[in-house]
Amino acid sequence: MAKDVIGTEDSIGEVQIASEVVSAIAGISASEVEGIESMSGGGINDIAGRLGVKNHSKGVKVDIADNQATVDIAVNMKFGYSIPKVSAKVQEKVAQAINSMTGLKVTKVNVRIAGIVQADAT
């Protein structure tokens, strides 16, 4: 990440947003898209998930520079959904959420489909 904290200064004081917050916004908004089963992280993130710890930035990498953000996000999709359609919805929803909540301009949202998950037959 280019910076650990982004911030703005106004007449009252400074507002700082940690880059982990931007990653969490991206992860939460992506996981809300229909057809997304889960975020894909690996390593420590998967271990924490098995222990019941929610890590909303799992599978998300955010680069921030000059009030612009580039997002790389890895997801597991549900079987039977259109990869291009779901990916486009993820890109749109992530960019919109980050922009509306932080004021950052999102220049790219790169989506990587890390896996396909079949629904249980139970």
Side-chain angles (χ1 to χ4, degrees), residues 19 31 33 41 52 65 76 115:
S19 58
S31 65
V33 172
N76 293 314

Side-chain angles (χ1 to χ4, degrees), residues 21-118:
V21 171
V22 180
S23 295
I25 292 168
I28 292 168
S29 60
S31 65
E32 291 175 347
V33 172
E34 185 177 348
I36 298 298
E37 174 66 26
S38 62
M39 304 305 294
S40 177
I44 297 293
N45 289 331
D46 282 348
I47 294 167
R50 289 186 191 121
L51 297 174
V53 177
K54 285 278 188 188
N55 182 0
H56 297 293
S57 60
K58 176 173 121 174
V60 180
K61 180 180 176 267
V62 177
D63 290 315
I64 302 169
D66 301 322
N67 286 328
Q68 295 185 343
T70 301
V71 181
D72 294 306
I73 193 161
V75 296
N76 293 314
M77 280 189 56
K78 293 178 183 175
F79 179 79
Y81 284 83
S82 167
I83 291 174
K85 288 180 183 177
V86 172
S87 297
K89 287 180 186 175
V90 167
Q91 290 171 319
E92 180 182 324
K93 190 159 185 168
V94 167
Q96 180 181 12
I98 290 172
N99 182 264
S100 68
M101 293 181 75
T102 67
L104 289 170
K105 180 182 179 195
V106 179
T107 58
K108 283 187 181 181
V109 178
N110 301 313
V111 179
R112 182 173 68 87
I113 308 302
I116 299 290
V117 179
Q118 187 171 3

